[in-house]
């Protein structure tokens, strides 16, 4: 194509138009203009799709890492779950259907980027536990003064004799180079820092459920409270808010 443009310019400046035209024609044939004419729209559409995909991945990554949100704050956990599921979509999509059964949740006092890390570790484990095709169900609910997030997979399940070891640092059943065995240990540390609990139940051969419990009463006195809205969530520092 560029050769054709060069040949056109050469022809325009040439004093032997016949020869220049022949050169341009050769370039025209080489550039396969008809083919390009047919294919260019498709090529541009594909490039646009590619750019859209890159843009989406960058947006998901930014949302997941919650750039600038490494601080304690009230956060929408569903937003964190959704962006984490998006981040893992290529790991999950060939193996599992993700079913979201979200309840009504208030915003939860947490460090969103850390909570998203927990979601990532649990969802990655769930996907890895499914060998062929299965489902990952994400349930959220408020129970009493707690928020529950439950991630259930239809994967391999966990034998009873190792169920109480899976949270230990470096415990892994994944081959060398595949797992560090730190995913659950880190997840549990983070949930403890949030004064919550993380635990697992499993039926070998049928699947596993990991439950995160986060206290709603952990609302911190230092949280910024909107002055004009006294009826919104308040810190539970006075014991009245249970
Ligand atoms: N959803 C699950 N289903 C079945 N087994 C699980 C599940 N989640 C964790 N496990 C078991 O617990 C072990 C420890 O999990 P953990 O996430 O801490 O480490 P890992 O997944 O092996 O490695 P890494 O997280 O560093 O990639 C796993 O190797 C696996 O045996
Ligand atoms: Mg893991």
């Amino acid at each position: 194509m560029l050769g054709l443009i060069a040949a056109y310019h050469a022809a325009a400046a040439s004093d032997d138009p016949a020869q220049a035209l022949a050169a341009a024609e050769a370039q025209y044939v080489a550039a396969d203009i008809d083919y390009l004419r047919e294919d260019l729209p498709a090529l541009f559409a594909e490039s646009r799709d590619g750019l859209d995909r890159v843009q989406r991945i960058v947006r998901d990554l930014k949302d997941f890492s919650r750039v600038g949100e490494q601080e304690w704050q009230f956060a929408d956990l569903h937003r964190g779950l959704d962006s984490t599921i998006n981040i893992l979509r290529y790991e999950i999509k060939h193996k599992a259907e993700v079913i979201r059964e979200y309840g009504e949740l208030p915003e939860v006092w947490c460090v969103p980027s850390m909570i998203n890390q927990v979601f990532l570790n649990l969802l990655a484990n769930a996907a890895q536990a499914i060998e062929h095709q299965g489902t990952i169900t994400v349930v959220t609910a408020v129970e009493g003064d707690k928020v529950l997030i439950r991630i259930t997979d239809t994967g391999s399940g966990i034998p009873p004799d190792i169920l109480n070891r899976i949270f230990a640092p470096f415990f892994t059943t994944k081959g060398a180079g595949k797992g560090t065995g730190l995913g659950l240990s880190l997840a549990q540390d983070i949930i403890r820092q949030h004064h919550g609990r993380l635990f697992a139940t499993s039926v070998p051969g049928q699947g596993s459920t990991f439950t995160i419990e986060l206290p709603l009463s952990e609302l911190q006195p230092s949280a910024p409270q909107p002055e004009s809205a006294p009826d919104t969530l308040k810190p539970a520092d006075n014991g009245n808010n249970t």
Side-chain angles (χ1 to χ4, degrees):
M1 188 67 147
L2 292 175
L4 181 60
I5 293 167
Y8 167 81
H9 283 300
S14 168
D15 15 307
D16 183 356
Q19 198 216 336
L21 186 64
E25 236 171 59
Q27 289 288 345
Y28 183 93
V29 172
D32 204 350
I33 295 293
D34 294 338
Y35 169 80
L36 278 177
R37 217 190 336 252
E38 268 174 37
D39 264 35
L40 271 180
L43 286 174
F44 280 127
E46 270 174 36
S47 306
R48 222 179 8 243
D49 276 359
L51 283 174
D52 285 349
R53 254 200 314 275
V54 169
Q55 201 175 29
R56 225 170 24 236
I57 289 169
V58 170
R59 199 184 48 221
D60 287 342
L61 278 170
K62 273 167 79 178
D63 212 28
F64 169 78
S65 62
R66 307 290 290 268
V67 177
E69 297 185 19
Q70 319 292 327
E71 307 276 327
W72 285 87
Q73 61 196 265
F74 287 108
D76 173 0
L77 297 186
H78 293 149
R79 188 178 144 205
L81 283 165
D82 288 342
S83 67
T84 310
I85 291 166
N86 281 346
I87 291 279
L88 285 170
R89 104 182 122 237
Y90 295 105
E91 276 191 75
I92 292 178
K93 75 173 177 193
H94 299 296
K95 293 211 175 156
E97 186 195 352
V98 177
I99 299 169
R100 289 168 233 227
E101 294 177 4
Y102 291 171
E104 289 270 319
L105 291 193
E107 295 205 319
V108 171
W109 183 249
C110 65
V111 182
S113 57
M114 293 180 90
I115 293 295
N116 286 354
Q117 181 69 55
V118 174
F119 295 155
L120 182 82
N121 294 1
L122 296 182
L123 287 163
N125 281 348
Q128 286 158 9
I130 294 169
E131 205 184 340
H132 298 299
Q133 199 61 42
T135 55
I136 299 172
T137 309
V138 183
V139 177
T140 65
V142 173
E143 248 179 55
D145 57 357
K146 295 187 189 93
V147 167
L148 301 189
I149 302 108
R150 204 167 267 144
I151 298 176
T152 299
D153 65 69
T154 58
S156 59
I158 305 168
D161 55 319
I162 68 161
L163 195 56
N164 60 356
R165 294 161 61 200
I166 57 174
F167 293 98
F170 302 110
F171 177 83
T172 181
T173 56
K174 295 166 192 172
K178 280 199 181 148
T180 62
L182 286 173
L184 285 178
S185 160
L186 180 69
Q188 191 156 63
D189 286 349
I190 291 171
I191 296 304
R192 280 192 182 137
Q193 283 167 32
H194 283 77
H195 309 284
R197 281 199 324 141
L198 169 63
F199 55 92
T201 56
S202 182
V203 181
Q206 287 186 28
S208 312
T209 296
F210 284 77
T211 304
I212 303 167
E213 281 181 7
L214 290 172
L216 274 177
S217 52
E218 265 322 299
L219 305 179
Q220 296 296 302
S222 58
Q225 293 299 305
E227 302 249 341
S228 55
D231 290 329
T232 56
L233 283 176
K234 271 189 169 171
D237 56 338
N238 52 15
N240 293 336
N241 189 11
T242 48

